Amino acid sequence: MRLLPLLTAEETRRAEEAHPGSLDELMERAGTAVAELVLRSFPGRVTVVAGKGKNGGDAKVCARALGDAGRDVTLVEGSGDLGTPDVVVDGLLGIGLQGAPREDAARMIDLINASGRPVVSIDVPSGVNASTGEISGAAVRATVTVTFGAAKVGLAVAPGRLHAGAVTVAPLGLRPREHEHALVPASVLLDVPAKQVDSTKYSAGSVLVVGGSRGLTGAVMLASLAAYRADAGYVAVAAPESALPVLESALLEVVKHPLPEDTSGRLLPRSADAVLEAAQKADVVAIGPGLGRSDGTVELVRVLLERLDLPVVLDADALWQLEPFARNAATVITPHTGELARLLGTTSAGSRFGSVVLLKGADTLVASPREGVLVASYGSPALATAGSGDVLTGIVAAFIAKGIEAQLAAAAAAVAHGVASELLDPPRGAVASDLLPGLRLALAGHGLQRAPLAGH
């Protein structure tokens, strides 16, 4: 699967230092690339705001190139009046920013944002941390960002991504020699293994989903159907026996395994044996959708993590009171921000739990111990609905069952989930089950044309 490099500020500097040409040559190419975009896309008067350092140098080259092309250009160095432009070029601060902009720079950022004009930012919007996407003070809201060599982490990760607008990469001849993090394009879905003429239901990927307590059966239904729509060949559910009548009536293609429970609905200790028996036909086990939160479910998760030798995906209720564990097989945990904070109180879930961590949010971050972060930037507001996380769990499980390495499987699943949401028409009022037809379309190649940082 081809991933796109995401550079930190330091990785960008090393790429520039390795470039055989001079710094002046790079500035000339960078400023010219920005000017060419303005000439193509934004008619009328241009105000170019140039700060100090390389970013300011790029901006001055841009202003000169625009003037040579016959544009009415105002160059503002540091601070001053923007005039009455039709478009503003932001070359105030570059990738070296740490923390909040100084007061004079913050005033200029506020003027740019208040202008009401389209803004083209050079490399990163001023005020955005290029290495993290963090914003500690004022930050330009760009219409377009022209970045160089490769996209920066801060352009792919919120809140920086939400300030970058559409991102275009001007190569300039830079060749990043190293990068820790990567952006996942929608084209990765074309590499997800599809069923072949000689496939069987088991060779196409076998998934077991554990969950579905009384009153929470919808979650396990969504996860299991999503696994099927993600092209798994065999999907089974292990659920409390009292929930089976509901599941039998709603899940035609899914095999059901009852988990013993007492009269109060609490899972009995031998439930773990029932799951282990059902898992003999599985390539991966997804635990948590609608599982419920009780001493019985917490103990079930603990025992399964200890005894299963298959890859496991943990979501929702399986993360409740989860304690650190050690396993030989791959583990993916899929918390949202609140669940992650409860699990950790620290910043490194992957290290503490020895797992791939898929963090759901405005952009999806997929981290793995001792590996970089993969960023998936697809998705629409339609994902902000109950049950969409259960759908994602089913997709992750299906992709792992197809033999994709766990971190890549989680990242590709996040892309499929996001693209499916973008295919909803209209997106307002959508519920989680509406994602399932879009998922099939995404895997068939629909909706893959949008660049991963094309803006919304």
Side-chain angles (χ1 to χ4, degrees):
M1 291 185 176
R2 183 175 178 272
L3 305 178
L4 305 177
L6 285 177
L7 302 185
T8 63
E10 182 56 33
E11 289 167 346
T12 302
R13 292 188 191 98
R14 288 200 289 268
E16 292 172 347
E17 291 166 359
H19 182 67
S22 67
L23 178 60
D24 287 343
E25 175 197 333
L26 284 176
M27 283 187 181
E28 192 70 26
R29 291 181 181 179
T32 301
V34 177
E36 288 174 347
L37 181 137
V38 173
L39 291 170
R40 286 195 309 269
S41 305
F42 299 99
R45 298 181 301 276
V46 186
T47 292
V48 178
V49 181
K52 298 179 180 179
K54 289 183 288 187
N55 199 250
D58 298 340
K60 292 171 187 175
V61 172
C62 174
R64 190 196 71 225
L66 289 169
D68 290 346
R71 283 296 183 90
D72 182 350
V73 180
T74 299
L75 176 63
V76 177
E77 299 192 52
S79 60
D81 184 8
L82 295 179
T84 56
D86 296 296
V87 59
V88 178
V89 175
D90 159 37
L92 186 61
L93 303 173
I95 64 173
L97 176 70
Q98 298 289 332
R102 294 193 304 267
E103 186 176 347
D104 55 344
R107 281 197 299 269
M108 283 305 298
I109 290 171
D110 289 341
L111 281 176
I112 292 170
N113 287 338
S115 71
R117 302 302 183 189
V119 178
V120 178
S121 284
I122 297 177
D123 221 1
V124 293
S126 294
V128 172
N129 186 307
S131 298
T132 66
E134 293 174 302
I135 294 174
S136 301
V140 166
R141 290 192 173 273
T143 309
V144 178
T145 298
V146 182
T147 196
F148 310 121
K152 310 304 180 287
V153 175
L155 301 176
V157 177
R161 178 171 73 89
L162 306 180
H163 283 248
V167 176
T168 183
V169 178
L172 306 189
L174 288 173
R175 297 181 180 177
R177 295 177 179 269
E178 55 182 301
H179 61 92
E180 185 178 6
H181 311 299
L183 187 65
V184 188
S187 58
V188 300
L189 299 184
L190 300 177
D191 295 327
V192 174
K195 296 186 179 103
Q196 302 299 313
V197 174
D198 59 350
S199 295
T200 69
K201 61 185 178 183
Y202 295 115
S203 67
S206 175
V207 175
L208 173 65
V209 185
V210 182
S213 295
R214 283 180 291 182
L216 301 172
T217 52
V220 78
M221 291 181 194
L222 288 168
S224 57
L225 289 173
Y228 263 137
R229 295 306 189 191
D231 207 34
Y234 179 93
V235 180
V237 166
E241 54 191 358
S242 61
L244 254 58
V246 175
L247 299 179
E248 287 283 11
S249 65
L251 297 177
L252 301 181
E253 302 88 353
V254 176
V255 177
K256 296 88 176 174
H257 298 275
L259 301 181
E261 55 189 336
D262 62 21
T263 55
S264 66
R266 183 179 181 276
L267 291 177
L268 296 174
R270 65 177 186 273
S271 291
D273 294 326
V275 174
L276 292 168
E277 182 178 353
Q280 291 178 12
K281 293 184 177 181
D283 297 308
V284 62
V285 180
I287 309 173
L291 183 63
R293 297 177 179 180
S294 68
D295 292 343
T297 57
V298 170
E299 179 63 12
L300 175 64
V301 172
R302 186 193 67 77
V303 172
L304 293 180
L305 289 174
E306 182 180 287
R307 297 176 61 185
L308 280 170
D309 57 4
L310 297 171
V312 166
V313 182
L314 297 176
D315 185 35
D317 293 335
L319 303 176
W320 179 252
Q321 296 185 1
L322 183 67
E323 294 295 329
F325 53 85
R327 304 185 70 240
N328 292 325
T331 309
V332 178
I333 63 175
T334 63
H336 55 64
T337 304
E339 289 170 331
L340 183 68
R342 185 179 66 245
L343 281 170
L344 295 180
T346 70
T347 58
S348 180
S351 296
R352 185 176 180 192
F353 288 89
S355 306
V356 173
V357 179
L358 187 159
L359 180 60
K360 298 171 281 192
D363 35 67
T364 298
L365 309 180
V366 184
S368 183
R370 297 172 297 281
E371 300 288 342
V373 173
L374 302 182
V375 181
S377 61
Y378 296 88
S380 77
L383 293 177
T385 189
S388 67
D390 302 309
V391 172
L392 178 58
T393 294
I395 305 170
V396 175
F399 285 4
I400 293 175
K402 288 178 169 294
I404 304 175
E405 183 273 331
Q407 187 182 20
L408 280 175
V415 169
H417 191 240
V419 172
S421 75
E422 293 179 4
L423 292 171
L424 291 172
D425 184 21
R428 293 191 69 177
V431 295
S433 58
D434 293 333
L435 296 169
L436 300 177
L439 176 56
R440 294 183 67 195
L441 292 173
L443 291 177
H446 296 262
L448 308 190
Q449 296 76 27
R450 180 175 74 78
L453 293 176
H456 289 281

